[in-house]
Amino acid sequence: MRVLCLSNGHGEDAIAIRILRELQQHPTPPELAALPIVGEGHAYTNSGIPLIGSVKTMPSGGFIYQDGRQLARDIRGGLLQLTLTQLRAIRTWASSAETQRRAETERHLSPSTPHSPLPTPHSLILAVGDIVPLLFARLSGLPYAFVGTAKSEYYLRDEAGWLPRKSWWDDRLERWTGCIYHPWERWLMSHPNCKAVFPRDTITANSLKQRGILAFDLGNPMMDGLEWEGEKDKELRLKDEQNLAFSLGPSALTIALLPGSRPPEAYANWETMLQAVNGVVAQTLRPLTFLAAIASELEAEKLRQTLMTYRWQQVTEDSYTVGLGERKSTLVLAQHRFAECLHRADLAIAMAGTATEQFVGLGKPAITLPGKGPQFTPAFAEAQTRLLGASAVLVKEPDRVATVIQSLLQNPDALQTIAESGRRRMGASGAAKRIADCLMTMDAP
């Protein structure tokens, strides 16, 4: 079996890698290749998975659907030429796959060649993301499977019914189609070459099944890879690179900071979040620990400089304090410790996409602040609150965050509802292995 993975974004690449790694663990692992439609695909090359075609980072970073100006910038940056080049690379890979399949078939049927008990090798396109890799998979002419990471019925409705929309047009269009996936997307998923669709949650899988699409409810790979060895440790500590431990007492409140991963947007998000953090520190009587989950793509020095302007005092290279005595708060820049930050925190202040969803999936509340984009715009933040329900609280101004936190902490019933909703909407871990196992059971065409 040969698998070509198509994905269109940083988060989609990460999800695809989880599935491909599970495929590599199979007793008869397939031959893997990839083509990231957006970005340069470092996640693939770092995992030893070869790329079959040209890659390039566009000015928009892949967020053209949120702003028409971003699309214009990408076109000027060579988007059309890149797309045509990538389509040719996919067709070339598909042609080589078909040539190999025919050669193996002829060898298998040759009277002079002993018949092998093994099945004839076949090829599959694995599309991860939205309609773009799905369309590219269809144009390949090969069998394909689709992991839908971008859409969920929760954007439209929850278990109780339809959600209100600010836009009359969006509300009417979506209720008319009756599904988060548009008719042309469902046509691609119902094509005979589409062998499986893996939606991100149960409510979406059921909606697609009702429309005759071969959808499998196997969970969301986004929740894989978040394990942390210290999760069961009774005496939890977070150490910086100088081995200085910050003990968290029973009265301490731990807050994760999730500014996103893409510069320069993440740096602007960071300053907005520090405005909220200083407000929380000023209005909270409890000891506070802030764990900033910093992506490897960000320059820590820029974050440190901004901290200094907000009067945080540096203790070590990655730890800072503000305040005096029992009201002293600690902030740690925790690079390469993403899972630990998520597990350690009681709640999050977030301006991120995937990271916010993963935090909520652990059963915890996230307070979100709209940014200037290109990703975390007010429209994106509003849509995310529909996706995550009660687990994501959108606050328009940083100085309102402290009030929202105090309200949440005083309402244990709301926290219980948030925990149950987040886990239900994001699903249990292990989805990547379940999807990989399903792919390996598919028969050759």
Side-chain angles (χ1 to χ4, degrees), residues 194-254:
C194 187
K195 304 304 180 182
V197 174
F198 304 104
R200 54 178 290 153
D201 48 53
T202 300
I203 192 173
T204 309
N206 290 339
S207 175
L208 293 176
K209 288 177 184 178
Q210 292 170 5
R211 289 160 176 81
I213 293 170
L214 192 60
F216 294 82
D217 181 20
L218 301 182
N220 189 344
M222 197 180 293
M223 295 308 298
D224 291 354
L226 297 179
E227 297 79 11
W228 175 50
E229 292 181 358
E231 183 179 0
K232 299 180 181 179
D233 192 346
K234 299 298 182 181
E235 298 179 357
L236 302 179
R237 295 173 182 270
L238 177 70
K239 297 183 178 181
D240 69 11
E241 293 178 359
Q242 281 71 43
N243 295 319
L244 176 64
F246 292 96
S247 299
L248 302 184
S251 63
L253 179 67
T254 305

Side-chain angles (χ1 to χ4, degrees), residues 247-255 281 284-290 325-330 346:
S247 299
L248 302 184
S251 63
L253 179 67
T254 305
I255 300 175
V281 170
T284 305
L285 299 178
R286 303 170 62 179
L288 298 172
T289 299
F290 296 92
E326 293 182 355
R327 294 191 61 181
K328 180 180 289 187
S329 294
T330 299
D346 300 301

